Amino acid sequence: MSTTPDQALAADIESAILAVPGVAAVLRTGTAGAKIIDAGARLLGIRDVDAPLVSIDRTTEHLCVEVAIGALASEGVVGTIHRVHAVIDALILREIGTPADIRVTVAHIDESASAEQMRRRTTPA
């Protein structure tokens, strides 16, 4: 499958987020129904299995980035959210030149696992 500029940007954002201290994983965004549809599209080959989990919505006026993360309680969840937001903001400003609306959702807080243990549980094989 070909990669669009937004898919490439989403993949860059996902990689940058995974390097943020306190982030254990990037998770699928959206409602339960949207997650099921996305999973089915990946299984059917309609959507690339390796497609980024970061959602980018672009209009003529602005860019909206949405991401869900798994966070490590030991690193401080609020601080992790702020670091993730700052990393996304800096990357968008560098690549696009204008600010974006950024939504970071903590979908899971892990109070016991290390980042590597969390990645092994949430990364598809």
Side-chain angles (χ1 to χ4, degrees):
M1 288 188 175
S2 63
T3 302
T4 68
D6 284 350
Q7 287 173 321
L9 180 60
D12 291 345
I13 292 170
E14 189 172 322
S15 294
I17 291 169
L18 287 169
V20 172
V23 173
V26 175
L27 306 168
R28 193 173 324 283
T29 60
T31 63
K35 291 176 187 179
I36 290 168
I37 290 168
D38 181 67
R42 288 172 191 258
L43 286 171
L44 292 171
I46 297 169
R47 181 164 181 177
D48 191 2
V49 174
D50 295 328
L53 297 171
V54 173
S55 172
I56 293 181
D57 184 27
R58 185 186 300 261
T59 66
T60 55
E61 287 100 38
H62 73 286
L63 184 74
C64 182
V65 177
E66 185 174 357
V67 63
I69 63 170
L72 299 173
S74 61
E75 295 288 332
V77 175
V78 173
T80 299
I81 294 167
H82 289 294
R83 289 188 295 272
V84 166
H85 190 281
V87 163
I88 296 170
D89 191 44
L91 198 150
I92 294 293
L93 283 173
R94 185 178 72 236
E95 297 293 321
I96 306 296
T98 59
D101 293 332
I102 301 168
R103 182 179 302 132
V104 179
T105 302
V106 177
H108 180 79
I109 300 173
D110 197 315
E111 297 190 29
S112 62
S114 69
E116 186 57 33
Q117 290 169 327
M118 181 71 176
R119 281 190 186 97
R120 280 196 298 263
R121 286 197 305 241
T122 59
T123 304

